[in-house]
Amino acid sequence: MPNEYAPASPDGADQGLSLELLVHGVGGTTPEVMLDDPHLQQITGDAVAGTYRRSEDADAEQHPERYAGGAVEEAYSWGGLTSGAAGRALWLLLLPFMLANLAHWTRPAAPRTARAQRPYDLLVRLVALSLTVLLTAAACEVALDLTAWQCAGTAGCAAHHSWLGFLAADHGGWWSEPGRRLALAAAVPTALVALLWWLSRLTWSSYEAQRPAADPGLRVDLPPMEMPGFWYGMAQVRRLRTVHVAAGLLTVALAVLLPTLARDRSSGGGTVLAVIGWILLGLLVLPAAGALVALVAGDRQEEQQDDRADPLALRILHWAALAVLLLVVLYAGWSRDSWRTGGRLPGAGGTFAALCLLQLMLVLLLAGAALLLRGHGTPPPRSRDPITVPGPDRPPADGDLRFGGPDGPALHGLAGPATAMLGIGLGNLFTAGATVWAAQWLMGTGTLGVTLPGPPLLLTWHSTGVPLLAVLLVPPLLLLAVRMLRQQHSLEPEVNQAYETGTHSSATRTAQIAGALARARLTDAGPVLVGGLALLAFLLAATALAGALASGRTPALAAQGAPTAVSYAATTLQSLGGWLVGAFALALVGLGRAAYSQVGTRRTVGVCWDIGTFWPRAAHPFAPPCYAERAVPDLEWRIRTWLNGDPARRLVLSGHSQGTVLAAAVVWQLDPGTRARVALLTYGCPLRRLYGRFFPAFMGPDDLGRLHGYAPRWRNLFRVTDPIGGPVRVAVPAPSVDALPLVDPLAYDRDAAHPLPVPIRAHKDYRLDPRFIEERDALLRQL
């Protein structure tokens, strides 16, 4: 099914072969769908990502005369980088790590030389490291404290779990000694750290280790997105991985060492074993200090492709941590007489409380750094003028460009701290829910703090706040729903006017179109929702910390003596917390599996996921991998090498949805000579509406202005029914980058091509609109 364009020049003269390079968006659109042909041939790439053409177009370069006055369509498919096996859905359980990594990129726009830039970077990396420690500490809590220390040390609990028989204190076997139980249980969190290391290294070798083809050397005079090393994070992820693995191993070592040292101190602080314990604690501090030093010095280098060799101290850091852990395990496994377990694992409660306090302080400091960075820019004025609805016989107006929400950074420049707090809150939710659920499974529902101490008080308080959080979220969600319905009702007369329905209007059809218009505007409430969730997460974490420290008991026990309703509510919330988090985690994995296997579901949830995994792993090495570190160099190489094959060739880079972000990133990376031969066509574009607001330091108004300077033949198409895309509002003289909005649906009811009412396209099928072909061919004529 060859594609013939309108003549590229008024006289139809052959100006060389032209290529339209298509880049799809979320949903993993297949190349067969992109090219509307099942018979394709792969031109570049592999089974994961690559370019495709129709079979009859594969040799277009050898027969340019066939395409005189036309162009060849070529599709770049990158869906395999973010979808595939359903097992990848487990990445969703690492969502806190992804949010911590995103906090690095959601900073306010400010000069690179601003004094608050480095403190902001360091604070984000500390938040990310605290989440790794939190996850490892949660695994230690379940394996060491709840299982090996409390349950195995209590006859009643061990009797209910036959697999704990050889560890039970009353069994009297070799493994029954508390130190050996802890040493054996340490294998579980150690295996978790090893799994995270393996996943990070596996994805690192497939994504970050792919070097961009072009290496212009050192450049310090460019904006961030144009830096040569921006899409080459191999060294940064390797260093961060070493630090986080070391921190995880040292967390396990500390969890084993503290109770063992406490026992040896209580039996005589001057004993040989106590002295050895103190020596091991000193040894543990050394790699911990080394990890912090490496984190402070671990700034991301973007001015050139980072091939710096790691210093020897950093290369052996995780091995040193592993050696300390092995020594601690041997120390704990040494035979000790008359050692009995009781209460919670020594040091566990203080560790979680100190970690929670540290995380809250880091978020506050991060907010301060963001405010300092925000002071370097002034947000533009915000327009609240109404938006008109275009119809088939009602030409769009310039005012329709107001669609897509306000300008300026999201949350007034505080999106970074809000994102970090969301990661911390979600990490606390997973940690508390998993430990409380494990405790209830081991010890029985309703027994925490009664028959056995259970997990540290802070985790129980965190878990109790989960049902409360669900209740608190209901009013704002209802408010958004009511607002959307009211907006839909107010838009219905305008829909009838736009389509000139007169007496032939249908209430159902009008409500359907008005509902699509109202839902498209709902996206612009995203910053408020993110900020509200972050504030709730901060308040619940601070309340849980204060409650645990002040009461010294679980919420259910602390409410004893209170009015019956309060006591019953506290007991119910505590019982529900762990199970709700478990259900949430299972639902998250199920949603991820559906998103990877079902295109419809992926299009719904894939927007946020593809935004989160677009950015390099600059702060957390265990976050899901960055697909753009493969896709952007792929596209840059293909464009540059294809155009270098013939100086008369021209290319239209045509991107939809997330593909427009990839296209913009590619144009920023191209050299000036290549850019001059490239036109840019974007549709369903979130560059300003989402990226410009949440990532103003990298895709703000000035950056989009430079993008137009590099690609002056740029046209952007959008619909006012699109919940993702919108105008880019680049301040340039006429002609505007933004075309007037496309009509959607194309007819009020049915037409000659549709026996049923014309579908509302919203964010999809832009290429089926008649105006799309006109705009595309106009760009070809300009080239």
Side-chain angles (χ1 to χ4, degrees), residues 389-474:
V389 178
D393 300 316
R394 181 184 186 184
D398 291 336
D400 296 320
L401 298 181
R402 292 188 296 269
F403 171 76
D407 292 315
L411 298 176
H412 303 282
L414 294 177
T419 306
M421 190 62 233
L422 286 180
I424 291 171
L426 201 56
N428 286 331
L429 185 149
F430 284 167
T431 298
T435 52
V436 172
W437 180 86
Q440 291 173 342
W441 174 67
L442 284 169
M443 306 168 189
T445 304
T447 63
L448 300 186
V450 181
T451 58
L452 286 174
L457 294 174
L458 177 60
L459 299 185
T460 306
W461 278 81
H462 274 318
S463 178
T464 304
V466 173
L468 184 61
L469 176 63
V471 172
L472 292 175
L473 284 177
V474 172

XYZ file of all heavy atoms in Angstrom, residues 389-474:
602
model
N -15.495 25.495 21.154
C -15.533 24.136 20.620
C -15.621 24.220 19.108
O -16.599 24.753 18.573
C -16.740 23.352 21.188
C -16.783 21.956 20.590
C -16.656 23.288 22.703
N -14.616 23.727 18.357
C -14.695 23.788 16.893
C -15.686 22.760 16.357
O -15.890 21.697 16.938
C -13.263 23.459 16.454
C -12.725 22.612 17.568
C -13.365 23.123 18.826
N -16.319 23.109 15.243
C -17.244 22.208 14.580
C -16.959 22.154 13.095
O -16.148 22.932 12.571
N -17.628 21.244 12.365
C -17.354 21.109 10.914
C -17.585 22.405 10.140
O -16.857 22.701 9.194
C -18.336 20.016 10.486
C -18.678 19.274 11.741
C -18.618 20.274 12.838
N -18.594 23.176 10.529
C -18.901 24.427 9.831
C -18.608 25.642 10.689
O -19.089 26.739 10.418
C -20.380 24.440 9.415
C -20.719 23.283 8.492
O -19.925 23.022 7.577
O -21.757 22.632 8.721
N -17.827 25.427 11.736
C -17.478 26.524 12.640
C -15.964 26.571 12.742
O -15.359 25.795 13.470
C -18.092 26.290 14.009
C -17.807 27.399 15.019
C -18.385 26.982 16.366
N -18.275 28.028 17.359
C -18.631 27.883 18.627
N -19.131 26.737 19.038
N -18.496 28.871 19.478
N -15.305 27.420 11.975
C -13.834 27.434 11.964
C -13.267 27.657 13.358
O -13.807 28.443 14.139
C -13.494 28.605 11.034
C -14.735 28.815 10.219
C -15.883 28.447 11.116
N -12.184 26.960 13.696
C -11.547 27.190 15.005
C -11.051 28.622 15.113
O -10.750 29.284 14.118
C -10.391 26.187 15.008
C -10.720 25.192 13.939
C -11.507 25.934 12.916
N -10.965 29.101 16.333
C -10.497 30.463 16.605
C -9.151 30.418 17.291
O -8.755 29.402 17.867
C -11.518 31.206 17.471
N -8.439 31.554 17.229
C -7.135 31.617 17.883
C -7.246 31.342 19.375
O -6.322 30.830 20.001
C -6.505 32.991 17.659
C -6.099 33.188 16.211
O -5.878 32.173 15.534
O -6.001 34.340 15.774
N -8.375 31.694 19.969
C -8.548 31.480 21.397
C -8.497 30.019 21.788
O -8.284 29.695 22.955
N -8.704 29.092 20.836
C -8.673 27.680 21.165
C -7.279 27.234 21.593
O -7.126 26.162 22.174
C -9.122 26.853 19.955
C -10.571 27.134 19.588
O -11.383 27.264 20.516
O -10.873 27.237 18.397
N -6.265 28.027 21.293
C -4.911 27.675 21.708
C -4.752 27.757 23.219
O -3.729 27.345 23.762
C -3.891 28.586 21.011
C -3.862 28.502 19.480
C -2.792 29.421 18.923
C -3.635 27.082 19.004
N -5.748 28.300 23.919
C -5.691 28.315 25.372
C -5.938 26.936 25.959
O -5.741 26.722 27.143
C -6.725 29.315 25.924
C -6.418 30.771 25.630
C -7.381 31.668 26.388
N -8.749 31.456 25.934
C -9.334 32.141 24.959
N -8.648 33.075 24.319
N -10.584 31.916 24.615
N -6.418 26.007 25.139
C -6.646 24.647 25.618
C -5.329 24.046 26.101
O -4.264 24.298 25.553
C -7.216 23.791 24.485
C -7.292 22.331 24.810
C -8.282 21.840 25.637
C -6.350 21.441 24.309
C -8.354 20.493 25.949
C -6.410 20.100 24.604
C -7.419 19.621 25.436
N -5.398 23.220 27.124
C -4.206 22.551 27.625
C -3.735 23.049 28.959
O -2.625 22.720 29.384
N -4.567 23.830 29.638
C -4.203 24.240 30.986
C -3.295 25.443 31.020
O -2.855 25.968 29.993
N -2.962 25.890 32.219
C -2.141 27.091 32.372
C -0.685 26.844 32.020
O -0.233 25.691 31.916
C -2.292 27.424 33.863
C -2.556 26.101 34.509
C -3.367 25.314 33.516
N 0.039 27.929 31.826
C 1.485 27.853 31.649
C 2.151 27.910 33.026
O 1.490 28.060 34.055
C 1.975 29.005 30.778
C 1.497 28.876 29.341
O 1.579 27.761 28.786
O 1.020 29.874 28.799
N 3.461 27.812 33.025
C 4.195 27.896 34.277
C 4.430 26.529 34.893
O 3.762 25.541 34.565
N 5.417 26.423 35.783
C 5.756 25.125 36.388
C 4.633 24.609 37.278
O 3.931 25.370 37.933
C 7.022 25.435 37.199
C 6.950 26.907 37.469
C 6.271 27.515 36.285
N 4.481 23.295 37.287
C 3.476 22.668 38.135
C 3.815 22.893 39.607
O 4.996 22.885 39.993
C 3.400 21.172 37.832
N 2.789 23.103 40.417
C 2.932 23.274 41.866
C 3.896 24.411 42.206
O 4.620 24.352 43.202
C 3.396 21.970 42.526
C 2.437 20.790 42.382
C 3.055 19.527 42.982
C 1.115 21.088 43.043
N 3.937 25.430 41.332
C 4.775 26.611 41.578
C 6.251 26.242 41.784
O 6.954 26.861 42.586
C 4.265 27.398 42.778
C 2.831 27.829 42.654
N 2.444 28.905 41.883
C 1.693 27.314 43.175
C 1.125 29.050 41.948
N 0.642 28.099 42.719
N 6.710 25.223 41.065
C 8.116 24.826 41.156
C 8.412 23.801 42.225
O 9.572 23.411 42.392
N 7.404 23.324 42.957
C 7.625 22.352 44.034
C 7.256 20.936 43.607
O 7.008 20.073 44.457
C 6.821 22.752 45.269
C 7.240 24.061 45.947
C 6.322 24.380 47.113
C 8.692 23.973 46.428
N 7.222 20.668 42.317
C 6.899 19.321 41.849
C 7.972 18.320 42.269
O 7.665 17.143 42.514
C 6.741 19.313 40.330
N 9.233 18.755 42.357
C 10.312 17.848 42.759
C 10.125 17.315 44.172
O 10.109 16.097 44.391
N 10.004 18.194 45.189
C 9.743 17.691 46.543
C 8.461 16.881 46.637
O 8.406 15.890 47.375
C 9.651 18.978 47.378
C 10.400 19.997 46.597
C 10.230 19.639 45.162
N 7.416 17.281 45.895
C 6.163 16.522 45.931
C 6.368 15.118 45.377
O 5.866 14.133 45.940
C 5.084 17.262 45.142
N 7.106 15.005 44.281
C 7.371 13.688 43.702
C 8.205 12.837 44.644
O 7.947 11.639 44.810
C 8.089 13.851 42.352
O 7.334 14.710 41.508
C 8.259 12.510 41.665
N 9.216 13.440 45.269
C 10.030 12.697 46.239
C 9.184 12.207 47.406
O 9.335 11.068 47.874
C 11.175 13.583 46.739
N 8.260 13.052 47.893
C 7.407 12.653 49.009
C 6.461 11.542 48.607
O 6.152 10.648 49.409
C 6.625 13.871 49.518
C 5.882 13.609 50.825
S 7.002 13.200 52.196
C 6.302 11.675 52.781
N 5.979 11.564 47.373
C 5.149 10.464 46.897
C 5.926 9.161 46.896
O 5.402 8.097 47.275
C 4.618 10.766 45.495
C 3.498 11.797 45.381
C 3.095 11.978 43.922
C 2.292 11.382 46.204
N 7.194 9.204 46.468
C 8.026 8.001 46.500
C 8.233 7.504 47.915
O 8.156 6.302 48.191
N 8.494 8.440 48.844
C 8.677 8.061 50.249
C 7.382 7.491 50.819
O 7.378 6.472 51.521
C 9.159 9.272 51.058
C 10.583 9.652 50.650
C 9.101 8.997 52.553
C 11.064 10.954 51.243
N 6.264 8.164 50.540
C 4.987 7.683 51.051
C 4.641 6.309 50.532
O 4.169 5.442 51.289
N 4.887 6.084 49.235
C 4.607 4.767 48.669
C 5.560 3.722 49.235
O 5.160 2.567 49.491
C 4.731 4.835 47.145
C 4.031 3.746 46.343
C 2.556 3.685 46.682
C 4.234 3.983 44.856
N 6.826 4.116 49.464
C 7.767 3.193 50.097
C 7.341 2.831 51.508
O 7.411 1.652 51.911
N 6.901 3.825 52.272
C 6.399 3.550 53.619
C 5.164 2.655 53.581
O 4.984 1.770 54.420
C 6.063 4.856 54.338
C 7.310 5.601 54.781
O 8.341 4.997 55.058
N 7.228 6.921 54.843
N 4.298 2.908 52.598
C 3.091 2.096 52.466
C 3.435 0.646 52.189
O 2.908 -0.273 52.832
C 2.229 2.682 51.348
C 0.847 2.077 51.097
C -0.100 3.158 50.588
C 0.906 0.955 50.069
N 4.322 0.401 51.208
C 4.724 -0.970 50.896
C 5.409 -1.627 52.091
O 5.141 -2.786 52.426
C 5.663 -0.985 49.684
C 4.967 -0.789 48.369
C 5.685 -0.517 47.224
C 3.586 -0.865 48.274
C 5.047 -0.338 46.006
C 2.937 -0.689 47.057
C 3.672 -0.421 45.921
N 6.321 -0.888 52.730
C 7.090 -1.446 53.844
C 6.187 -1.800 55.014
O 6.221 -2.927 55.538
C 8.149 -0.430 54.297
O 9.049 -0.173 53.224
C 8.919 -0.953 55.480
N 5.362 -0.838 55.424
C 4.488 -1.082 56.564
C 3.470 -2.162 56.253
O 3.222 -3.060 57.079
C 3.787 0.224 56.949
N 2.869 -2.101 55.080
C 1.868 -3.096 54.735
C 2.432 -4.501 54.683
O 1.820 -5.455 55.182
N 3.623 -4.648 54.086
C 4.220 -5.979 53.971
C 4.585 -6.544 55.346
O 4.346 -7.726 55.626
C 5.462 -5.910 53.080
N 5.153 -5.713 56.216
C 5.564 -6.215 57.523
C 4.351 -6.524 58.408
O 4.321 -7.563 59.091
C 6.463 -5.189 58.231
O 5.816 -3.911 58.243
C 7.795 -5.060 57.521
N 3.344 -5.662 58.403
C 2.155 -5.920 59.215
C 1.400 -7.131 58.683
O 0.905 -7.966 59.454
C 1.250 -4.669 59.256
C -0.082 -4.973 59.934
C 1.963 -3.537 59.984
N 1.296 -7.251 57.364
C 0.646 -8.436 56.788
C 1.397 -9.705 57.175
O 0.790 -10.721 57.547
C 0.591 -8.312 55.277
C -0.051 -9.479 54.599
C -1.382 -9.671 54.360
C 0.620 -10.643 54.091
N -1.588 -10.871 53.740
C -0.369 -11.489 53.560
C 1.957 -11.040 54.033
C -0.064 -12.717 52.969
C 2.259 -12.266 53.457
C 1.260 -13.085 52.928
N 2.751 -9.663 57.083
C 3.537 -10.839 57.467
C 3.343 -11.159 58.947
O 3.237 -12.336 59.341
C 5.014 -10.594 57.164
N 3.284 -10.116 59.792
C 3.079 -10.343 61.225
C 1.717 -10.958 61.495
O 1.583 -11.881 62.317
C 3.235 -9.024 61.983
N 0.689 -10.468 60.808
C -0.646 -11.029 61.007
C -0.721 -12.470 60.523
O -1.417 -13.299 61.114
C -1.670 -10.160 60.276
C -1.866 -8.783 60.904
C -2.761 -7.890 60.075
O -2.992 -8.138 58.896
N -3.264 -6.826 60.681
N -0.002 -12.773 59.459
C 0.001 -14.147 58.955
C 0.752 -15.073 59.913
O 0.324 -16.205 60.174
C 0.653 -14.181 57.575
C 0.830 -15.557 57.028
C -0.150 -16.433 56.640
C 2.071 -16.240 56.811
N 0.397 -17.610 56.194
C 1.760 -17.516 56.285
C 3.406 -15.884 57.008
C 2.738 -18.441 55.957
C 4.383 -16.800 56.675
C 4.054 -18.057 56.166
N 1.870 -14.596 60.457
C 2.660 -15.427 61.362
C 1.996 -15.586 62.731
O 1.989 -16.671 63.314
C 4.053 -14.821 61.551
C 5.056 -14.985 60.401
C 6.273 -14.111 60.644
C 5.477 -16.447 60.254
N 1.419 -14.507 63.230
C 0.994 -14.473 64.630
C -0.516 -14.471 64.814
O -1.000 -14.691 65.925
C 1.586 -13.227 65.308
C 3.085 -13.130 65.166
S 3.719 -11.501 65.674
C 5.422 -11.634 65.123
N -1.269 -14.162 63.752
C -2.706 -14.128 63.877
C -3.223 -12.709 63.929
O -2.649 -11.837 64.569
N -4.337 -12.462 63.214
C -4.931 -11.121 63.174
C -5.398 -10.694 64.564
O -5.999 -11.468 65.295
C -6.114 -11.104 62.193
O -5.663 -11.546 60.916
C -6.692 -9.701 62.073
N -5.133 -9.451 64.903
C -5.590 -8.903 66.175
C -4.688 -9.193 67.347
O -5.018 -8.854 68.479
N -3.514 -9.835 67.114
C -2.629 -10.197 68.225
C -1.422 -9.293 68.320
O -0.603 -9.475 69.221
C -2.146 -11.647 68.055
O -1.372 -11.735 66.857
C -3.330 -12.598 67.958
N -1.247 -8.335 67.394
C -0.042 -7.511 67.398
C 0.017 -6.694 68.682
O -0.917 -5.981 69.036
C -0.025 -6.582 66.187
C -0.037 -7.267 64.814
C 0.128 -6.238 63.713
C 1.033 -8.329 64.713
N 1.145 -6.806 69.354
C 1.330 -6.087 70.603
C 0.690 -6.760 71.801
O 0.778 -6.243 72.907
N 0.054 -7.925 71.606
C -0.614 -8.629 72.709
C 0.109 -9.935 72.994
O 0.835 -10.060 73.974
C -2.102 -8.874 72.382
C -2.786 -9.574 73.554
C -2.807 -7.564 72.066
N -0.056 -10.941 72.122
C 0.639 -12.214 72.327
C 2.109 -12.099 71.981
O 2.955 -12.718 72.619
C -0.012 -13.307 71.474
O 0.029 -12.908 70.096
C -1.469 -13.508 71.869
N 2.417 -11.322 70.935
C 3.802 -11.063 70.527
C 3.922 -9.580 70.196
O 2.939 -8.932 69.801
C 4.169 -11.910 69.313
C 4.414 -13.411 69.567
C 4.628 -14.138 68.246
C 5.602 -13.629 70.478
N 5.111 -9.018 70.356
C 5.254 -7.567 70.105
C 4.904 -7.161 68.684
O 4.392 -6.068 68.454
C 6.732 -7.304 70.424
C 7.155 -8.435 71.295
C 6.359 -9.622 70.862
N 5.216 -8.005 67.685
C 4.954 -7.643 66.303
C 6.009 -6.711 65.746
O 7.084 -6.525 66.328
N 5.721 -6.065 64.604
C 6.706 -5.177 63.984
C 6.894 -3.911 64.807
O 6.127 -3.634 65.732
C 6.084 -4.868 62.616
C 4.627 -5.054 62.822
C 4.476 -6.149 63.832
N 7.915 -3.109 64.501
C 8.094 -1.834 65.204
C 6.827 -0.992 65.160
O 6.059 -1.030 64.194
C 9.248 -1.168 64.443
C 10.011 -2.311 63.869
C 8.995 -3.352 63.522
N 6.622 -0.226 66.218
C 5.388 0.535 66.348
C 5.153 1.463 65.160
O 4.017 1.627 64.699
C 5.424 1.346 67.645
C 5.419 0.535 68.947
C 5.595 1.466 70.137
C 4.144 -0.260 69.069
N 6.210 2.068 64.658
C 6.046 3.024 63.569
C 5.417 2.357 62.350
O 4.546 2.937 61.683
C 7.393 3.644 63.192
C 7.369 4.617 62.010
C 6.453 5.802 62.297
C 8.771 5.101 61.671
N 5.823 1.122 62.039
C 5.280 0.433 60.877
C 3.804 0.117 61.077
O 3.009 0.188 60.132
C 6.075 -0.842 60.604
C 7.557 -0.644 60.281
C 8.208 -1.964 59.921
C 7.731 0.353 59.138
N 3.434 -0.245 62.301
C 2.016 -0.488 62.573
C 1.214 0.791 62.431
O 0.101 0.797 61.893
C 1.840 -1.078 63.986
O 2.666 -2.236 64.116
C 0.399 -1.464 64.222
N 1.753 1.907 62.898
C 1.069 3.194 62.739
C 0.970 3.582 61.256
O -0.056 4.097 60.816
C 1.802 4.275 63.525
C 1.454 4.285 64.983
C 1.957 3.478 65.950
C 0.512 5.133 65.629
N 1.408 3.768 67.172
C 0.507 4.793 67.008
C -0.324 6.152 65.206
C -0.307 5.435 67.935
C -1.130 6.802 66.134
C -1.125 6.443 67.478
N 2.053 3.353 60.503
C 2.006 3.611 59.057
C 0.886 2.805 58.410
O 0.091 3.318 57.611
C 3.334 3.234 58.405
C 4.366 4.320 58.450
N 4.078 5.636 58.211
C 5.704 4.268 58.697
C 5.185 6.365 58.318
N 6.184 5.553 58.619
N 0.844 1.521 58.714
C -0.149 0.638 58.107
C -1.560 1.057 58.482
O -2.483 0.999 57.656
C 0.113 -0.802 58.549
O -0.856 -1.677 58.021
N -1.739 1.499 59.714
C -3.066 1.946 60.160
C -3.522 3.169 59.377
O -4.727 3.377 59.184
C -3.029 2.262 61.662
O -2.571 1.107 62.371
C -4.398 2.655 62.184
N -2.587 3.967 58.911
C -2.957 5.165 58.151
C -3.407 4.884 56.735
O -3.974 5.773 56.084
N -3.181 3.654 56.221
C -3.553 3.347 54.832
C -5.068 3.433 54.630
O -5.537 4.100 53.697
C -3.003 1.970 54.426
C -3.531 1.576 53.050
C -1.483 1.995 54.424
N -5.901 2.767 55.461
C -7.351 2.938 55.273
C -7.796 4.390 55.452
O -8.699 4.859 54.753
C -7.956 2.032 56.358
C -6.888 1.072 56.713
C -5.605 1.811 56.539
N -7.140 5.091 56.372
C -7.478 6.500 56.574
C -7.163 7.315 55.329
O -7.930 8.214 54.940
C -6.711 7.037 57.785
C -7.009 8.482 58.202
C -8.473 8.640 58.578
C -6.106 8.896 59.359
N -6.033 7.010 54.683
C -5.674 7.703 53.448
C -6.728 7.453 52.372
O -7.110 8.372 51.639
C -4.301 7.223 52.965
C -3.813 7.778 51.625
C -3.642 9.290 51.704
C -2.497 7.120 51.223
N -7.189 6.200 52.272
C -8.223 5.884 51.282
C -9.490 6.700 51.537
O -10.138 7.189 50.604
C -8.538 4.391 51.322
N -9.842 6.861 52.807
C -11.037 7.647 53.146
C -10.824 9.118 52.798
O -11.718 9.789 52.254
C -11.379 7.482 54.644
C -12.490 8.438 55.047
C -11.788 6.045 54.926
N -9.637 9.644 53.081
C -9.370 11.055 52.826
C -9.319 11.374 51.335
O -9.517 12.524 50.932
C -8.045 11.462 53.486
C -8.030 11.475 55.019
C -6.635 11.782 55.533
C -9.024 12.497 55.555
N -9.032 10.364 50.509
C -8.963 10.596 49.068
C -10.337 10.671 48.422
O -10.467 11.183 47.302
C -8.149 9.486 48.394
C -6.640 9.549 48.556
C -5.993 8.348 47.902
C -6.091 10.830 47.962
N -11.352 10.163 49.094
C -12.689 10.126 48.495
C -13.225 11.526 48.202
O -13.697 11.787 47.086
C -13.656 9.326 49.386
C -15.085 9.453 48.879
C -13.246 7.856 49.418
